Amino acid sequence: MIKLLKTVWRWLDDRLGISVLLSPAKHIAPQDAKWWYVFGSATLVAFIVQVASGVALAFSYISSSSQAYETLLFITNNAPFGSFLRGLHYYGASAMVLMIGAHMAQTFLFGAYKFPREMTWTTGICLLGFTLAMGFTGQLLRWDSTAAWSVVVAAEQAGRIPIIGDWVARFILGGNTIGGATLSRFFAIHVFVLPGMMFAFIGLHLWLVFRHGISEPPVAGKPVNPATYRAEYEELLKKSGKPFWPDLAWRDVVVSTLLIIAIALAALFVGPPALDKPPDPSILAADPRPDWYLLWYFGLLSLIPERIEGYVMIGFPILIGLFLLFVPIWNHKGERAASRRPWAIAMAFLSVIMIGALWWEGQHSPWSPNFEAQPLSGKVVRATTGPVFTGAQLFHDKGCLNCHLVEGFGGRRGPDLTHIADELTHDNLVIRIVNGGTNMPAYGPSLKPGELDALVAFLETRKHSLRRQEQQTETASSSMAATNE
Amino acid sequence: MNTSLVESSSVPPTETPQEISRRRFFEKLSIALVGLCTAIIGLPLVGFIVAPFFRKVPEKWVTIGKPDDFQIGKTVAITVTDPSSLPWAGVTAKSGVWLRRVSEDSFIAFSANCTHLGCPVRWLPDAELFMCPCHGGVYYSDGKVAAGPPPLPLFRYDVQVANGEVQMKQAIVPISTTL
């Protein structure tokens, strides 16, 4: 039997050239390319997970504006393994973004983008762009209220492009508004256009890896000299190189296995992202947010000054993209070791800090009003009748609490008013409420007689000293009660 | 090594000037035919994807109710269905619009899209303000900007009272903010 199988294999291998096809896997690579070098293959494995889970999901997903939401409900709630597959696709995307980030950071800090691997880096940057585009279009295919409104936000952003902005925006929307043409175009882009580009660029990227070889770990004091590098690299491979398969590749297999296990566990135990309300644009109680990998950009756009916002919206991605694409062109030789490139370390470190901080802000989005704010409790108001009580009710009803915190309750869009009476006098409070201020509407025209007095009466109770007195009284009362008992 | 092999095989040493000219002709012919094939397939393909968005769809009047359905001084959310929608649009053919009856025969229909980034603004009736959940843009009841990042007032759709009905021009997403 084994003999027969071997004969069949030899025949197939001869006719199909399988061994020849796989021979690049056995190319000689530097023996020190160890655990730091696993992120590229992990990204590829995450991509394969995406292709496999995406193809499976496409068996049930209908890319119609009217039916996609129902098919997603079916996949999540009824289809065998449907919820698991959706989770696999979501966490696979997350893993791909994380791994591509790690791969990029390692390549940058190891100076592996320098001669002769400039275009290997550049094709990798294109793949980063495609991956983020896949992430965004993938979120839109989760065709719920958030997705539908995210299309509008994307169109509005595109609308700021000079001259062609309106056309690009209409192209994104699929017309003058969200409708039948909107989802199918994102489906085509997500399922055919972008993956096609990615297959092509992954092929090119891998071809360049084989052509120029896996970069050896950098050595401080041994700069890249384009005139001599290739000969030195060949010499190194002759001296101490090892075949990539299996001597080095086993580490990639181990890490990729762990990655797949992590993705599967997250899909199984955390589950896919919950679906929001149906994609009905007449439901106006929606609060669109991007998925986590673009949350930092949402944070950035929310924090930059309004007067430069449009320029940043359009210019920032272009500038970052151009910078990343051209890094190896103007910095293609010299030291590779991070220890001799303090600016490289600073840049990588600052990028992580910046993206992390913006992500944190995006996650908490203090600039968004809190529409869920409930009326203040009696414990916070410290009055059950009279103008202070009425003022506290008005503070909620007039939307003040959506933007202001009082003793930890409310929104964070505006200043915390827990102790506002320590900072503003009676007259200042009146002026501020009537005329508004920076980022605050003028309430003068909409307040009825007596309402202004009630609001000010409530705010005047927001004092350190009053709060302390009340706390002391409370403490004394409870002590007396305890003594009496 | 490979390069020299390719070069030596592509130009045989015995080639005459006529053969070179013939070869160049075939090269150019092949490239031109590839270009022609690309155009035959590619132009309709691009046109299919792009052309519909150059076509002007006439905005139609949509009936949204009778005047008595709306109280003077009140702002309410109304649902408008796109009369030009594709048959498979489903719920996405609907749009939300804020309608305010200003007087006996005067109505204002506000787009629900914040002029900052298009998020749906909400009406707070007690505060008489529109507020955006995304970045905290605030508008007064007449749509003027009250606070936050919106650069423009809320977009208004045309409204008319005709034949005892309140009608508004089909709701489009206003792409109003440019650099």
Side-chain angles (χ1 to χ4, degrees), chain A residues 156 160 185 302 309 368 442, chain B residues 53 116 126-127 134-135 140 174:
Chain A
E156 292 283 352
R160 302 201 183 199
R185 67 188 37 247
S302 307
E309 186 182 67
S368 299
Chain B
F53 308 110
H116 179 224
D126 291 325
C134 288
H135 301 93
Y140 293 116

Side-chain angles (χ1 to χ4, degrees), chain A residues 66 149 153 156 159-160 167 170 174-176 178-180 185 281 286 302 306 309-310 367-369 371 397-398 413 439 442-443, chain B residues 50 53-54 88-92 94 96 113 116-118 122 126-127 129 132-136 140 147-149 173-174 178-179:
Chain A
S66 59
W149 282 104
V153 173
E156 292 283 352
R160 302 201 183 199
W167 184 85
R170 302 290 167 207
N176 282 331
I178 292 177
R185 67 188 37 247
S302 307
E306 288 148 27
E309 186 182 67
W367 49 82
S368 299
F371 286 97
D397 297 344
K398 296 288 179 186
R413 171 93 176 100
N439 269 336
Y443 278 88
Chain B
V50 170
F53 308 110
F54 287 110
W88 57 91
V91 290
T92 62
K94 296 180 188 175
N113 299 99
H116 179 224
L117 282 176
R122 302 184 199 182
D126 291 325
L129 295 169
C132 177
C134 288
H135 301 93
Y140 293 116
V173 174
T178 52
L179 278 182

